[in-house]
Amino acid sequence: MSADSTSTDQLQTQNLQLLDKIDELRAIGVGGLVELPQIVVYGSQLSDKSSVLERISNVTLSTIRDPCDRLVTEIVSRRASHERVRLCIRPGDSRINGEGQRGLRHFTSDEIDISSTPFSFSRKLKELLERASSCMGLSTLALQVNDDVLRVEVSGPQQPDLTLIDLSGLSLFSNTVQNNEEKELIDSILEGYLKSSRSFVLAVLSGKNDCHDQSILKIIKRFDPNQERHLRIAAPPCPTDLGLGKQDPYLQFIKIEDVKSESAWHVLPNGSAEKHHTPDNKLEVQEKEPFDHGKWASLSPDQVGIETLIVRLSSILLCLMRRNLPDLIDDIQNKIWDNELELEKMGAPRATVQEQRQYLIDISSQFGRITNQALNGSYVHEFFGGFREGTTRTGEFEFQRLRAVIQEMNESFEEAMTIRGARRIIQLTGATVDVDSEMKRPNPYMHGWTPVYITQGDMEQEIKDMMHRRGVIEETGRANQLVVGSLFRDQCEPWEMIARAHVLNTWGAVECFVQLVLKHLTNDHTRSSLTESVLRSGLDKMKVCLLEKLGELCLHYKSSHPVPAGRSFLSRIQSSRTKRQVSASNKSTKSNTLPQKSNEQLRAAEIIDHMQAYYKTAIDTFVDNVIILAVENCLLRKLEDIFTGKTVIAMEDHEIEKVAAEPPKTRYKRDRLEDEVSRLHEAMQSLKVFDRDDSMTRAFRDLGKNRNSPSELHKAKSKRGSKSIEVKD
């Protein structure tokens, strides 16, 4: 045997092995998890697609058209020494019952000998089909649709090594369905196959109507706009049955229609299934002979006849599988990681109270670790994301970095207190205050606020009038503290409103942070139950504590007299006097007149000086107290204790079950994920031979180009880069 012959045999063996492995993945349901390379058959209503499939498979399949027109049929053809047919079922994704899925997967029919008499073969095939239909719940009396897949395995010495997915029956059945739900299911199934970038569509067109009136072309173009992954099968009437003039429309349609090349077409003579089951090699001769004469002879021999079609389909399928193999392996691995992450997030199965309690203790431990890092500003845990994520994220994810969020809120609160803390802005003569520019700052506490201005003179007059109304007796040489206190309390009226908004905002930030942590650590059911049963009361207590502390801090400034003390107070009084005197002096210089003020005006001005000095001293203290005594002590300091191991240990058994027991939906999800992981691992094991660094895989990857992994996590878990490969016919 020559070296070339040996290499060819090895390549054919590898090709068949790859084809079988892909079929194995499809058989165990991996096709519903990742897109598999496949050839799908899709036909128009009057096309002779049954005949096409029968000629490819060498088996009369018309027996299985009803009721299996209501589902997808997978035809697996393999060359073997014995002629056999066997049926299997692959359950659809809509079956949520695990037992039902397993029952369908275990259905395998007896083998039928194709070489038996046609009557015997047809009868046995019909009996097997009835068993399969009953197993799938398909009634012959009622119109029903199903997303299960009927797998027809055909083997024999003359069989091609080919796998086809037949959608044509289901597409026709959709025209008779009246139920909207069933119609949506059919459309979903068809779209899933047709839009997949790894599907190659064998479009069978009718020759029984106007060759230009093909609605199927519109559907194919919608899913394959670049017209790169489908082959059109034209089945015009036999050329000898057409007049010379009638041949032109078909030829023109095939040769000039808007496809990228004539190779996108293949022509088969139309006719009955019986006609095309001529034995031995006479069929190919009979099919090609009419196309050897007249205008039909202009077609390439490679575009005519069933044998050349089988060769083309085999080549297309193998190229499709080779081209997509590296990406397919990566997709399967990525899907395994995604499912394992979901399972890890769900935690261990929780059937007993002890397992449920341990589950909550584990969550509380991680909750405490993340919270501690958030409060200290050391964002190391994966919950906080990387540096780039932390600096670019917006929306709810801002609240992950809690210390930074609280610090920003504190700064906005301090700024708002400085600008709008006073009820009225006192303007000295000749002085200007650009408050309008301050209002334009992006500060949440400045929205909807309009400053109230009053001049120094008007303020002094207001104080004089108040003293007269109240009959206040002036103390010689001193500002009356009763009047100072009254004026101060009026001036600091906005403090409580601004501070209340601030403490509630910080509490809201903490609540959002808690929800984000739980969302990271648990599933939605546990997060919701844990919040309502355990954390809600703690968060509400923190809110009450905050508001009580705020009320305590505001009480003195709302009802008590000012208690000025310290050098800072005296220096602020002196500063206020100096500013007032300089303003009055500037005014007198401009008007060339000496300021004349009565003793009452001087006493009123002194009261304003005392009030402003005390205001500036008190507002700094108030801001610090709100931030430290309220936000830090009553909120942030208590956050770490809101959910700990002690909290879980103190919970009653019925509380533990309510929070941590898995609902049926979660148990089903866990079973589904575990089943998918099992099937995906089986798929990876199946493809392991192609994933090693052998000559074939290297050739595939050398034709490709690097692409990024789907997520940073996947990059971290695997340094093996993904490839995209282009293999041309």
Side-chain angles (χ1 to χ4, degrees):
M1 183 179 293
S2 66
D4 290 343
S5 177
T6 302
S7 299
T8 301
D9 290 343
Q10 290 177 346
L11 181 60
Q12 289 177 346
T13 301
Q14 287 178 332
N15 289 342
L16 181 57
Q17 187 181 22
L18 177 58
L19 181 60
D20 288 339
K21 293 300 180 183
I22 297 298
D23 281 343
E24 284 180 22
L25 304 192
R26 192 175 288 109
I28 62 177
V30 173
L33 307 177
V34 296
E35 293 181 350
L36 296 178
Q38 57 200 356
I39 294 180
V40 299
V41 181
Y42 191 71
S44 59
Q45 186 169 1
L46 297 177
S47 65
D48 196 15
K49 49 197 171 300
S50 295
S51 176
V52 172
L53 290 172
E54 289 172 4
R55 280 180 273 176
I56 292 174
S57 64
N58 290 321
V59 175
T60 303
L61 298 174
S62 56
T63 307
I64 68 170
R65 302 322 304 168
D66 186 27
C68 292
D69 270 346
R70 309 170 206 174
L71 45 75
V72 176
T73 306
E74 179 181 327
I75 302 173
V76 180
S77 172
R78 292 291 184 273
R79 184 173 288 109
S81 58
H82 298 287
E83 293 183 312
R84 295 286 187 271
V85 172
R86 188 178 66 164
L87 304 184
C88 302
I89 301 173
R90 189 169 73 249
D93 294 336
S94 65
R95 293 189 181 272
I96 61 174
N97 186 303
E99 292 297 328
Q101 287 190 355
R102 282 187 285 272
L104 291 182
R105 287 200 182 98
H106 290 161
F107 174 87
T108 302
S109 73
D110 299 328
E111 293 184 344
I112 308 176
D113 190 347
I114 300 178
S115 61
S116 60
T117 64
F119 176 78
S120 176
F121 172 78
S122 177
R123 178 177 56 80
K124 291 180 180 179
L125 184 60
K126 186 175 182 180
E127 290 175 356
L128 291 183
L129 178 60
E130 288 176 352
R131 282 178 50 202
S133 300
S134 176
C135 188
M136 289 182 285
L138 292 175
S139 170
T140 57
L141 301 178
L143 291 178
Q144 294 172 312
V145 67
N146 202 310
D147 64 345
D148 297 330
V149 176
L150 179 67
R151 178 182 171 97
V152 182
E153 299 177 355
V154 185
S155 61
Q158 304 301 320
Q159 294 299 132
D161 291 321
L162 197 60
T163 300
L164 301 176
I165 311 295
D166 182 17
L167 306 179
S168 52
L170 192 62
S171 66
L172 297 183
F173 185 70
S174 65
N175 297 325
T176 65
V177 171
Q178 303 296 324
N179 185 294
N180 289 335
E181 185 176 346
E182 290 187 337
K183 179 69 174 175
E184 290 176 1
L185 177 59
I186 292 176
D187 292 342
S188 174
I189 295 172
L190 294 176
E191 183 173 341
Y193 281 99
L194 296 176
K195 77 176 182 180
S196 171
S197 61
R198 294 174 186 166
S199 288
F200 190 91
V201 181
L202 187 63
V204 184
L205 305 178
S206 172
K208 298 179 182 179
N209 58 351
D210 185 354
C211 56
H212 293 279
D213 182 21
Q214 302 283 359
S215 59
I216 187 176
L217 294 180
K218 297 179 181 178
I219 298 175
I220 297 298
K221 288 178 183 178
R222 178 160 65 93
F223 293 106
D224 183 23
N226 295 327
Q227 303 185 55
E228 296 174 341
R229 53 179 187 85
H230 75 269
L231 176 66
R232 303 179 182 187
I233 304 298
C238 183
T240 57
D241 297 336
L242 290 172
L244 190 62
K246 293 183 179 181
Q247 295 180 10
D248 290 339
Y250 292 98
L251 287 170
Q252 183 180 12
F253 184 50
I254 294 171
K255 298 173 69 67
I256 305 178
E257 212 274 335
D258 60 339
V259 291
K260 291 191 173 182
S261 68
E262 293 182 13
S263 62
W265 282 96
H266 198 93
V267 181
L268 295 176
N270 213 332
S272 66
E274 291 77 9
K275 176 181 177 181
H276 294 294
H277 277 281
T278 305
D280 302 326
N281 298 325
K282 294 181 179 180
L283 175 61
E284 182 70 4
V285 175
Q286 292 179 4
E287 285 190 331
K288 285 190 174 183
E289 184 178 2
F291 293 92
D292 291 338
H293 309 284
K295 296 182 179 180
W296 291 97
S298 62
L299 295 176
S300 168
D302 294 337
Q303 290 180 258
V304 178
I306 192 66
E307 293 300 325
T308 52
L309 173 61
I310 291 174
V311 172
R312 292 185 72 178
L313 292 181
S314 298
S315 175
I316 288 170
L317 182 57
L318 288 173
C319 287
L320 191 67
M321 290 188 297
R322 289 176 178 177
R323 182 171 61 245
N324 287 282
L325 178 60
D327 282 347
L328 174 60
I329 292 173
D330 288 337
D331 286 352
I332 293 174
Q333 184 61 71
N334 291 339
K335 186 68 174 178
I336 290 174
W337 287 333
D338 289 340
N339 284 10
E340 288 178 342
L341 282 175
E342 282 292 312
L343 287 169
E344 182 181 349
K345 192 173 180 180
M346 295 173 71
R350 308 184 295 277
T352 66
V353 175
Q354 183 178 358
E355 291 173 341
Q356 295 160 7
R357 193 181 298 273
Q358 185 59 51
Y359 169 68
L360 293 182
I361 289 176
D362 292 341
I363 293 176
S364 69
S365 176
Q366 296 182 68
F367 180 89
R369 185 159 55 252
I370 293 173
T371 301
N372 180 269
Q373 292 183 16
L375 294 177
N376 292 322
S378 57
Y379 310 119
V380 179
H381 196 278
E382 63 178 11
F383 164 77
F384 301 104
F387 174 76
R388 292 185 181 276
E389 288 87 343
T391 56
T392 59
R393 286 182 175 180
T394 58
E396 66 174 8
F397 293 103
E398 294 175 350
F399 294 95
Q400 286 177 310
R401 299 171 181 252
L402 185 60
R403 175 53 66 185
V405 171
I406 297 297
Q407 182 63 30
E408 184 177 351
M409 288 183 171
N410 285 339
E411 291 173 358
S412 296
F413 168 62
E414 184 176 7
E415 180 184 57
M417 287 292 292
T418 301
I419 297 173
R420 63 167 295 192
R423 189 178 75 83
R424 296 187 291 185
I425 299 175
I426 303 173
Q427 289 183 293
L428 294 172
T429 304
T432 59
V433 180
D434 188 12
V435 180
D436 292 337
S437 63
E438 303 287 357
M439 294 170 58
K440 296 178 181 179
R441 296 190 183 189
N443 188 316
Y445 306 116
M446 302 291 289
H447 296 160
W449 171 68
T450 302
V452 178
Y453 297 98
I454 187 171
T455 64
Q456 174 78 14
D458 289 343
M459 193 72 174
E460 292 173 359
Q461 184 61 44
E462 188 176 296
I463 293 172
K464 284 166 51 180
D465 294 341
M466 182 183 66
M467 293 173 65
H468 287 162
R469 288 195 305 272
R470 297 184 180 181
V472 176
I473 301 175
E474 288 296 325
E475 300 178 24
T476 305
R478 296 184 60 187
N480 189 291
Q481 292 303 306
L482 292 175
V483 180
V484 171
S486 179
L487 189 60
F488 168 77
R489 287 189 294 275
D490 178 73
Q491 191 71 336
C492 71
E493 180 186 321
W495 287 10
E496 183 174 16
M497 176 185 63
I498 301 173
R500 182 182 177 86
H502 178 55
V503 298
L504 290 178
N505 282 347
T506 55
W507 180 85
V510 167
E511 183 184 37
C512 185
F513 167 80
V514 168
Q515 290 301 310
L516 288 174
V517 176
L518 294 181
K519 187 176 182 180
H520 177 76
L521 297 177
T522 70
N523 54 64
D524 290 340
H525 170 76
T526 304
R527 176 173 63 89
S528 176
S529 299
L530 193 57
T531 299
E532 296 306 317
S533 300
V534 180
L535 297 179
R536 176 57 56 198
S537 61
L539 288 168
D540 290 344
K541 287 178 182 178
M542 291 160 61
K543 185 176 182 180
V544 171
C545 182
L546 268 176
L547 296 176
E548 287 179 349
K549 178 57 68 175
L550 178 61
E552 178 186 336
L553 296 176
C554 293
L555 182 61
H556 170 72
Y557 303 111
K558 291 165 61 176
S559 58
S560 301
H561 294 295
V563 185
R567 294 182 179 180
S568 62
F569 173 71
L570 297 176
S571 64
R572 280 174 172 146
I573 289 179
Q574 186 59 45
S575 174
S576 182
R577 286 175 184 161
T578 301
K579 287 181 181 179
R580 174 168 50 82
Q581 290 169 359
V582 168
S583 176
S585 176
N586 290 338
K587 180 180 179 181
S588 64
T589 301
K590 291 180 181 180
S591 61
N592 294 321
T593 59
L594 294 175
Q596 298 292 328
K597 282 195 173 185
S598 65
N599 290 335
E600 287 183 335
Q601 287 178 309
L602 293 174
R603 285 193 291 270
E606 191 70 14
I607 287 173
I608 295 174
D609 292 340
H610 275 249
M611 183 274 293
Q612 289 183 317
Y614 182 66
Y615 179 90
K616 292 177 181 178
T617 302
I619 194 172
D620 291 341
T621 303
F622 180 76
V623 169
D624 287 344
N625 286 343
V626 170
I627 293 174
I628 296 172
L629 301 181
V631 175
E632 290 292 330
N633 288 359
C634 297
L635 182 62
L636 301 184
R637 188 183 297 273
K638 295 184 178 182
L639 180 57
E640 287 186 89
D641 299 327
I642 193 174
F643 183 47
T644 66
K646 292 182 180 180
T647 308
V648 179
I649 292 173
M651 294 173 64
E652 299 290 340
D653 287 353
H654 70 276
E655 295 176 311
I656 293 291
E657 289 179 333
K658 179 180 178 181
V659 173
E662 289 185 326
K665 184 178 180 181
T666 303
R667 288 196 295 271
Y668 164 71
K669 182 179 180 181
R670 181 190 298 280
D671 292 342
R672 177 180 61 79
L673 289 173
E674 289 176 345
D675 177 66
E676 288 181 3
V677 169
S678 174
R679 282 187 278 151
L680 291 166
H681 275 299
E682 186 178 347
M684 285 297 292
Q685 191 65 29
S686 234
L687 296 176
K688 190 175 181 179
V689 62
F690 303 105
D691 196 30
R692 69 175 186 264
D693 192 23
D694 59 15
S695 58
M696 184 172 70
T697 304
R698 284 201 306 272
F700 294 166
R701 293 187 178 278
D702 288 344
L703 290 172
K705 57 183 179 180
N706 291 323
R707 66 172 174 82
N708 294 329
S709 299
S711 69
E712 292 298 322
L713 175 63
H714 295 166
K715 287 181 181 178
K717 288 193 173 183
S718 174
K719 294 183 179 179
R720 177 170 64 85
S722 301
K723 304 290 182 181
S724 177
I725 296 173
E726 182 178 356
V727 179
K728 296 183 178 179
D729 292 351

